[in-house]
Amino acid sequence: MSMAKAEKSVTRSAPLTETSFIGWLHKNLFSSWVNAILTFVSLYIIFVVIKSLWIWGVAEAVWVAENRRECFAISKDGACWAGVIIWLENIFYGRYPRDELWRVNLGGLLLILWMAPLWLPRVKDKIFIGLSTVFLYPFLAGYLFAGGDKGIFMQLMVTGAIVCLVGNTVHACIGVFSGGGLPESLLGILGRKDASDANQRNTLLAVLAIAFVLIYALQIGWTVEAVPWTKWGGMFLTLVISGIGITSALPGGIILALGRRSKLPVIRVLSTSFIELFRSVPLITVLFMATTMFPLFMPEGFVLNKLVQVIIAVCLFSACYMAETVRAGLQAIPKGQYEAAHTIGLGYWGMMGLIVMPQALKHMIPNIVGSFIGLLKDTTLVSIIGLFDILGMLRSISQDAPWRGLHKEPLIFGAVLFFIVCFIMSKYSRHLEVKLSAGANR
Amino acid sequence: MTATDVDDTQGQLASAASSEVIIELNQVNKWFGQFHVLKDIDLVVHRGERIVVCGPSGSGKSTLIRCINRLEEHQQGDIIVDGITLDKNLKNIDHIRSEVGMVFQSFNLFPHLSILENLTLGPIWVRKTPKVEARKLAMEYLERVKIPEQADKFPGQLSGGQQQRVAIARSLCMNPKIMLFDEPTSALDPEMIKEVLDVMVELAETGMTMIVVTHEMGFAKTIADRVIFMDEGDIVEQNEPFEFFNNPQSERTKLFLSQILSH
């Protein structure tokens, strides 16, 4: 059978059922009797839940009161948010001295300042900025939070961190406004733009050395009062523990995963047994082991405080979980990529660092962020071994004399806080995924 | 097949082979588990020589050239490339790999890097060439494979033929002494095979030492100094192309040729 169409078909607009709101409703919610009944029942349930939540949490709630008794006097069926509000500072900072809170806030602000260039367009050398965040920021923040006398090591690291922070910020500003970078601008100012590579490098190193010495001299006079770790607490402590856990998880996990895939049997067996040991034990057990058994392995007189022990335990635990995530990502890279890297003469580290890891990490983003979220929530377990992290703080509200028995409100408040943080992380990971895969498929 | 199919030696390239030996295989044996893939292979390749390896699948031809840059490890015998014996010494292996370019059936470009970055990676990280120079070099080779306009795209945006030409350019950027091709056109659509073969013919004209595993017999006739036929891990027959196609000696070769040239 043969046919031929003489004229082009006319383009018509889609039927109303596809485009209008009513059409959408009809198609998705009221397509049949059963569907319509289900829709109404669900709507009713949602309505009831939201209405009672609204009455309890907002309409009848008490926002200002001196103690729980007063809350009851004002309203019997409402939430007593007054307790949470009065404890708000404790929830965020624990028992950190109130006059020194600016240090915690400054630490947070510095982190934002340090990392902001990573998200700005036109800024170069983002890898360096990222690395300096991981390796130098912790020392500056650590000193800010803990205070006290700086040993010579701390002096050097704090100086390095400040030099880096100033350098990063200036570099980022130059990048955003002119698309250049700090090294080029410095060379331009010093008139060494056309000098040889070695000359340029030496000039930059000299500038760096001068800056280092200058800031070293300045920071000697700067000390802050010591705050013992026992005073750290609340959201602040949770973020410190999980922040260190998260930043050390990735490098630790990569090393363990590579070890597990190593061709050398000793390294492979060691990494595998290490990973399996930590993965088959619950975090709470690891935490107890760290605080009770860790001191046994240490030389006599060597006392680590409990916080450091806990942080080490969390780091090891998260690194082992990350190792398995990384290994899964590595297995997704086709063999041909390894071979191609070999054939252009790259050695093991070149192949891993330039070819395999960048691709594997991209595949792994959802899983990595998943385990970060898991870790953030898992760190609340430290409240069981006696650290007053956010959960410990929320629970101690009910022990406080005026608010005795106030359990529900603080825990709901904590849940909302965690939800906000975790939801943002998960949304950001989704965004990263889309952005990176867009890069590959452009 | 008849003699008239291949009777013209007009189109054949003049041989660039010199007397200097660049690859030497002595009694090489290789097993995959219990499976004996390469059986007592002896092979001598001279500088500038162009060799085509053919044979049925599973005959060990890919394994043979993958042993030459140590993507596969042989268990017995000696392989000497450019005066260096391949053994457990990692330094030697890395050195030889940077002197031997390889093009794969499935291209194996790095999907997370742009075309230009794919080409400059080796020169910058292995040869320590300054970035500007490496970029210039890469653009030269992209011109040679006729796709300079694709430099800033990503591998996923290119057609198969273009990707394979980029892969060839990537190997050439390392300025190799030897080029190995492992069925470079087998994964390509028919209309793209020619553009890749053209690039390879041009490369042959520059006097590059080439070992090509391929089923493109027309290509073998044009550029090969020698055609090697492998079957079940043996080198069954080797000869210059005219003789190989017109006057095969062994029964196995005759059977293979009749199968691939029958239509």
Side-chain angles (χ1 to χ4, degrees), chain A residues 338-350:
Chain A
Y338 292 85
E339 289 178 349
H342 277 319
T343 52
I344 59 168
L346 287 174
Y348 178 79
W349 293 108

Side-chain angles (χ1 to χ4, degrees), chain A residues 335-348 354-356 358-359 362 439-442, chain B residues 66 69 71-72 94 97-98 100 102 104 108-113 121-122 125-126 154 157 170 174:
Chain A
K335 200 171 149 225
Q337 292 290 311
Y338 292 85
E339 289 178 349
H342 277 319
T343 52
I344 59 168
L346 287 174
Y348 178 79
L354 296 168
I355 308 298
V356 179
Q359 294 184 57
K362 207 179 76 192
N441 305 330
R442 254 177 308 183
Chain B
R66 287 161 63 86
N69 68 348
L71 285 181
E72 301 288 353
D94 281 344
R97 279 177 179 157
S98 65
V100 180
M102 182 151 189
F104 300 88
N108 292 346
L109 294 179
F110 306 128
H112 62 302
L113 300 176
L121 191 83
W125 290 90
V126 180
F154 283 78
Q157 296 165 286
R170 178 175 69 181
M174 291 300 287

Side-chain angles (χ1 to χ4, degrees), chain A residues 111 114-115 118 128-138 168 247:
Chain A
L111 181 62
W114 206 306
M115 292 181 66
L118 293 176
F128 179 77
I129 298 176
L131 283 178
S132 69
T133 317
V134 173
F135 290 108
L136 288 172
Y137 169 78
N168 275 350
T247 38

